[in-house]
């Protein structure tokens, strides 16, 4: 087995896989994408100049692979909507992936947070995943996203506010349902 | 069980930190095996992808021989340029007239008799920008250089991004300038400027050494095309100034301009327009390199908003056109730091049209000339996505325009 692969796998694999999983919210897709990340890394490892840390470089590649996949899905989604004239809502119902077992086993609150995260913007989702789930610092997150530290902070703040709004709206609508 | 109280920010943050760890169920061995398989598949694809290169060089060589052997054919064609004298600051525009005796020394292929074009000719399309993912995939291979294209009234300079070889971008430029030919796309190659070496002198300054007297006898057309090609190439590679030497001696004799020590690369900002080639391909071109009086009426500084307005009006000429459709109404342009928000009246937008991708990229590159790094489009939400760009997000402006993949 390639030594470089083995070293990268032992050091970063679980973090990279988890990052991709939370971006695309589908285990099978994350498995495919993580392969793609290694392919890109192994192909371009010689050109890695050490301007950033190896860790942020790998995350940055994973991020681009994830975003590329999300965008390709969005393109398909637009075509699909165009052809069948389904409403956005109808499409979303069909589009939802089943909850992964790790989330299913969690308490209801966790499921709600996981679900609300999907409704944030892509920028907000990335910041949340990197900062809270992957526990990266502001400066590591900024390097990975190619942003300034202040942009990371602002986006993080907005993301938490957005989540709060989504979760509270969700809770109120559920209460109304019960009261009917 | 549901929460009975309202969600607050601390609880949300704490929940996020406790999100479950998700582990990959593929074994390390299975993963490595799959990666190897995919690497082999990719290798086959790359071999196929790169197979254009040798035929392209061979075609260029054949064409060159034809140009030497059949000059009579070329004498029959009517086309050339007449250009203004080079200004001291070398910020030039191209004048286009009909003086066949002056033509820059650039490979012309479309007029060569008996040459069949490739099948791509009839499948024209817009060569969109390289994406960040391309930067990763082709890390260490990308370079932007300006090539010259011909059209019935003259010549035009187009920055294109290609794959090349070399340890750094200047090495890649040296390889690409000799080998790249865009005939399949209706464009030419980098002008035949003899260059001994290109090195980075200091940040923002590139030093070009040429053989002594090699540029002394330039016609005014060549003088203009060559300087525009150098400006478009090295400004796109991130430089502000060229310092010339001739076989190590300071300065270069540049045609009728005489001794030239330096060339400034940051000219007036005039936005981007669409050039249509005979093969049906479309490329973005820099407004400052065309002679349209509407675009380059004077050298005054324009604001980004004014430049975007210009990009809707300019290009009466048949070879290039406005990059922003005239029915699109831009209502606001607001800069904050390195982010610009461009608001478009949503009622002026139809369902998705191909021109919208050109518009979005032309706006982004125009914004880049104003040192912006991100663009946020407002009012295009109904399109959801234009090319690879999702409309309700801040978009990082790409670095590589007209990417010939």
């Amino acid at each position: 087995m390639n030594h470089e692969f083995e070293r990268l796998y032992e050091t970063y694999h679980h973090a990279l896989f988890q990052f991709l999983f939370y971006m695309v919210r589908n285990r099978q897709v994350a498995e495919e994408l993580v392969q793609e990340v290694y392919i890109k890394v192994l192909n371009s490892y010689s050109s890695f100049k050490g301007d950033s840390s190896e860790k942020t470089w790998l995350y940055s590649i994973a991020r681009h692979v994830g975003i590329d996949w999300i965008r390709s899905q969005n393109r398909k989604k637009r075509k699909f909507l165009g052809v069948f004239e389904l409403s956005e809502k109808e499409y979303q119902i069909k589009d939802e992936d089943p909850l992964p077992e790790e989330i299913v086993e969690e308490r209801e609150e966790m499921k709600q947070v996981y679900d609300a995260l999907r409704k944030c913007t892509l920028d907000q989702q990335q910041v949340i995943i990197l900062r809270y789930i992957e526990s990266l610092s502001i400066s590591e997150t900024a390097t990975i996203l190619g942003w300034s530290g202040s942009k990371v902070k602002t986006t993080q703040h907005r993301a938490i506010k957005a989540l709060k709004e989504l979760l509270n709206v969700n809770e109120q609508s559920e209460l109304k349902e019960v009261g009917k | 069980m549901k929460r009975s109280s309202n969600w607050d920010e601390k609880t949300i943050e704490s929940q996020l930190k406790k999100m479950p760890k998700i582990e990959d169920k593929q074994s390390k061995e299975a993963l490595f095996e799959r990666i190897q398989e995919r690497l082999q598949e990719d290798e086959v694809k790359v071999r196929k992808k790169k197979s254009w290169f040798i035929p392209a060089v061979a075609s260029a060589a054949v064409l060159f021989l034809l140009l030497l052997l059949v000059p009579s054919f070329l004498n029959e064609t009517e086309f050339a340029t007449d250009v203004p004298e080079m200004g001291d600051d070398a910020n030039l525009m191209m004048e286009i007239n009909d003086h066949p005796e002056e033509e820059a020394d650039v490979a012309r292929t479309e007029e060569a008799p008996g040459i069949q074009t490739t099948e791509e000719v009839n499948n024209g399309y817009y060569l969109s920008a390289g994406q960040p993912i391309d930067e990763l995939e082709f890390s260490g291979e990308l370079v932007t250089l300006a090539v010259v294209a011909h059209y019935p009234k003259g010549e035009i300079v187009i920055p294109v991004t290609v794959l090349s070889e070399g340890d750094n971008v200047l090495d890649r430029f040296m390889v690409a300038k000799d080998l790249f030919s865009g005939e399949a796309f209706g464009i030419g190659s980098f002008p035949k400027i003899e260059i001994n070496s290109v090195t980075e002198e200091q940040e923002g300054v590139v030093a070009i050494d040429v053989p002594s007297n090699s540029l002394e006898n330039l016609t005014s057309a060549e003088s203009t095309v060559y300087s525009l090609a150098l400006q478009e190439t090295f400004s796109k590679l991130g430089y502000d100034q060229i310092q010339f030497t001739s076989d190590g001696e300071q300065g270069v004799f540049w045609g009728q301009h005489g001794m030239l020590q330096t060339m400034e690369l940051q000219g007036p900002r005039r936005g981007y327009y669409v050039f249509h080639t005979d093969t049906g391909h479309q490329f973005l071109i820099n407004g400052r390199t065309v002679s349209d009086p509407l675009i380059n009426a004077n050298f005054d500084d324009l604001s980004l908003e004014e430049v975007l307005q210009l990009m809707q009006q300019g290009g009466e000429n048949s070879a290039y056109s406005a990059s922003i459709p005239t029915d699109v109404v831009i209502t606001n342009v607001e800069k904050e730091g390195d982010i610009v928000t461009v608001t478009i009246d949503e009622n002026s937008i139809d369902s998705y049209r191909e021109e919208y991708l050109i518009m979005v990229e032309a706006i982004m590159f125009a914004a880049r000339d104003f040192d912006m790094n991100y663009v946020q489009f407002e009012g295009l939400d109904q399109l959801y996505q234009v090319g690879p760009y999702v409309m309700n997000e801040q978009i990082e402006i790409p670095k590589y325009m007209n990417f010939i993949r």
Side-chain angles (χ1 to χ4, degrees):
Chain A
M1 194 178 293
N2 181 307
H3 289 300
E4 214 50 71
F5 169 77
E6 199 148 12
R7 188 182 65 78
L8 294 172
Y9 182 93
E10 297 300 341
T11 321
Y12 304 107
H13 181 72
H14 293 299
L16 288 177
F17 178 80
Q18 175 165 277
F19 172 59
L20 280 167
F21 171 82
Y22 276 106
M23 273 188 84
V24 302
R25 307 167 77 87
N26 180 303
R27 179 179 288 282
Q28 274 182 319
V29 174
E31 283 174 4
E32 290 278 320
L33 295 186
V34 83
Q35 292 167 11
E36 204 170 318
V37 171
Y38 283 113
I39 288 168
K40 290 194 187 306
V41 168
L42 294 173
N43 277 336
S44 56
Y45 197 76
S46 57
S47 63
F48 170 59
K49 293 184 178 68
D51 295 336
S52 55
S53 76
E54 188 175 69
K55 181 178 166 189
T56 55
W57 182 62
L58 291 168
Y59 268 107
S60 163
I61 292 176
R63 175 208 173 212
H64 283 299
V65 168
I67 286 183
D68 216 34
W69 182 84
I70 292 167
R71 286 181 174 162
S72 72
Q73 292 308 298
N74 287 337
R75 275 195 289 275
K76 282 181 195 164
K77 180 177 167 182
R78 205 184 57 224
K79 264 188 190 169
F80 186 81
L81 286 171
V83 173
F84 297 104
E85 293 180 347
L86 280 177
S87 74
E88 186 89 351
K89 211 172 178 181
E90 281 170 308
Y91 185 86
Q92 274 174 3
I93 292 164
K94 291 171 196 298
D95 197 28
E96 270 177 32
D97 285 312
L99 285 176
E101 62 196 53
E102 289 89 339
I103 302 282
V104 172
E105 287 163 8
E106 289 291 336
R107 290 186 307 163
E108 186 63 29
E109 288 172 5
M110 193 67 86
K111 288 179 201 163
Q112 288 178 344
V113 174
Y114 179 75
D115 193 45
L117 186 57
R118 181 173 59 87
K119 293 170 187 159
C120 291
T121 67
L122 193 54
D123 279 355
Q124 290 172 347
Q125 287 184 44
Q126 290 177 84
V127 170
I128 291 283
I129 297 166
L130 291 169
R131 292 282 293 127
Y132 293 99
I133 302 175
E134 299 289 297
S135 306
L136 299 183
S137 67
I138 296 268
S139 93
E140 284 174 324
T141 306
T143 308
I144 292 162
L145 299 175
W147 298 352
S148 64
S150 59
K151 191 182 167 194
V152 173
K153 285 183 203 165
T154 317
T155 311
Q156 179 179 323
H157 179 67
R158 286 183 186 155
I160 296 292
K161 265 178 80 174
L163 277 174
K164 184 179 161 188
E165 215 164 283
L166 287 163
L167 288 162
N168 284 323
V169 166
N170 188 34
E171 192 163 284
Q172 277 166 15
S173 61
E174 280 176 7
L175 283 174
K176 274 183 195 167
E177 287 285 315
V178 172
K180 267 185 185 175
Chain B
M1 217 171 88
K2 307 249 184 253
R3 287 176 55 85
S4 55
S5 61
N6 281 348
W7 287 89
D8 60 52
E9 293 180 7
K10 271 197 170 168
T11 317
I12 293 168
E13 286 182 309
S14 144
Q15 288 290 344
L16 286 169
K17 284 176 188 163
K18 286 189 278 182
M19 291 294 269
K21 300 282 167 218
I22 310 284
E23 293 200 350
D24 189 1
K25 289 177 179 167
Q26 302 175 90
S27 70
K28 183 167 65 177
E29 290 71 26
L31 176 63
F32 185 67
E33 201 173 310
R34 184 70 194 113
I35 289 167
Q36 277 198 312
E37 282 168 18
R38 286 181 62 175
L39 275 169
Q40 279 165 6
E41 287 164 17
D42 285 357
E43 221 169 86
V44 174
K45 277 184 205 160
V46 169
R47 256 187 255 132
K48 281 183 184 166
K49 193 161 65 180
K50 287 194 174 173
S51 62
W52 63 270
F53 189 74
I54 291 169
V57 173
S59 307
V62 169
L63 289 169
F64 180 69
L65 282 173
L66 277 169
L67 289 174
L68 287 176
L69 296 170
V70 202
S72 57
F73 281 93
L74 291 178
N75 290 339
E76 284 169 24
T77 60
E78 284 182 17
F79 141 178
T81 59
D82 184 17
V83 290
E85 288 303 304
M86 185 184 222
D88 281 344
D89 61 357
N91 286 326
L92 297 177
M93 294 183 302
M94 234 178 118
E95 277 300 329
I96 299 148
N97 284 318
D98 297 317
H99 294 277
E101 69 278 9
E102 287 190 6
E103 182 189 334
D105 181 17
V106 177
R108 293 173 61 221
T109 56
E110 63 273 26
E111 281 92 0
I115 299 299
Q116 296 298 311
T117 48
T118 69
E119 61 181 358
E120 277 181 71
V121 167
N122 295 321
N123 299 322
Y125 56 88
Y126 168 60
L127 279 295
S128 60
Q131 298 301 305
I133 193 79
D134 297 315
E135 289 173 40
L136 287 167
E137 187 169 354
F138 302 113
S139 165
E141 288 181 85
L142 293 168
V143 65
T144 300
L145 80 164
V147 300
V148 181
H150 302 264
Y151 68 110
K153 290 185 179 174
E155 296 166 326
I156 207 152
V157 173
I158 305 173
V160 295
T161 300
V162 298
L163 298 178
S164 181
E165 287 178 359
D167 288 341
N168 59 52
V169 77
L170 296 179
D171 289 349
R172 294 198 284 277
F173 159 74
M174 288 296 276
V175 173
K177 85 176 179 62
D178 292 332
L179 294 181
F180 176 75
S181 166
E183 69 200 67
F185 301 90
I187 56 177
S189 49
F190 188 80
K192 304 291 176 220
I193 305 174
E194 280 186 74
I195 296 178
N196 294 331
S197 66
V198 180
T199 50
E200 184 170 305
E201 190 63 19
Q202 60 195 72
E203 201 180 330
V205 179
V206 63
I208 299 184
D209 187 67
V210 299
S212 296
N213 306 324
S214 61
L215 298 169
E216 201 172 359
N217 298 318
L218 295 179
T219 64
S220 60
E222 285 170 336
S223 170
T224 301
V225 169
Y226 286 16
S227 62
L228 286 171
L230 289 175
Q231 284 176 30
E232 279 300 278
T233 298
F234 290 101
S235 63
K236 294 288 180 287
L237 297 181
Y239 294 99
D240 301 321
Q241 190 190 64
I242 298 173
Q243 284 180 0
F244 289 107
T245 51
S246 304
D247 287 330
E249 298 294 320
Q250 215 172 34
V252 60
F253 272 101
W254 188 284
Q256 293 163 6
H257 180 82
M259 179 57 83
L260 193 67
Q261 308 269 1
T262 59
M263 183 182 280
E264 298 304 323
L265 301 177
Q266 305 303 329
R269 294 172 290 208
R270 292 293 182 267
Y272 291 85
Y273 302 83
V274 195
F275 179 70
H276 307 260
T277 71
D278 288 346
T279 55
H281 293 86
Q282 294 164 345
F283 294 89
L284 287 183
I285 54 168
N286 193 335
R288 71 172 170 160
T289 63
V290 299
S291 67
D292 195 323
L294 210 62
I295 300 170
N296 283 301
N298 55 52
F299 285 101
D300 289 347
D301 268 348
L302 299 178
S303 67
L304 177 56
E305 200 160 7
E306 289 168 327
V307 165
L308 296 185
Q309 282 170 9
L310 213 55
M311 284 159 62
Q312 282 193 293
Q313 300 164 11
E316 289 302 305
N317 193 299
S318 60
Y320 54 90
S321 60
S323 54
I324 303 177
T326 46
D327 54 349
V328 170
V329 179
I330 296 175
T331 55
N332 196 30
V333 177
E334 205 172 319
K335 290 192 274 184
E336 193 186 339
D338 63 349
I339 303 164
V340 61
T341 303
V342 177
T343 308
I344 291 171
D345 180 355
E346 59 182 20
N347 296 320
S348 68
I349 296 293
D350 290 335
S351 55
Y352 188 79
R353 291 176 1 208
E354 283 305 315
E355 302 105 282
Y356 290 153
L357 174 58
I358 297 177
M359 171 182 81
V360 161
E361 290 198 341
I363 290 175
M364 288 200 288
F365 283 114
R368 190 175 189 83
D369 287 349
F370 284 81
D371 300 322
M372 296 291 110
N373 288 319
Y374 299 92
V375 176
Q376 171 92 47
F377 288 97
E378 302 282 351
L380 295 181
D381 282 7
Q382 55 183 307
L383 297 176
Y384 192 72
Q385 188 166 348
V386 176
Y389 311 105
V390 178
M391 285 299 111
N392 59 2
E393 288 175 7
Q394 236 168 52
I395 306 166
E396 188 178 345
I397 300 176
K399 295 184 184 67
Y400 297 97
M401 64 166 55
N402 298 327
F403 183 25
I404 297 179
R405 288 170 172 81

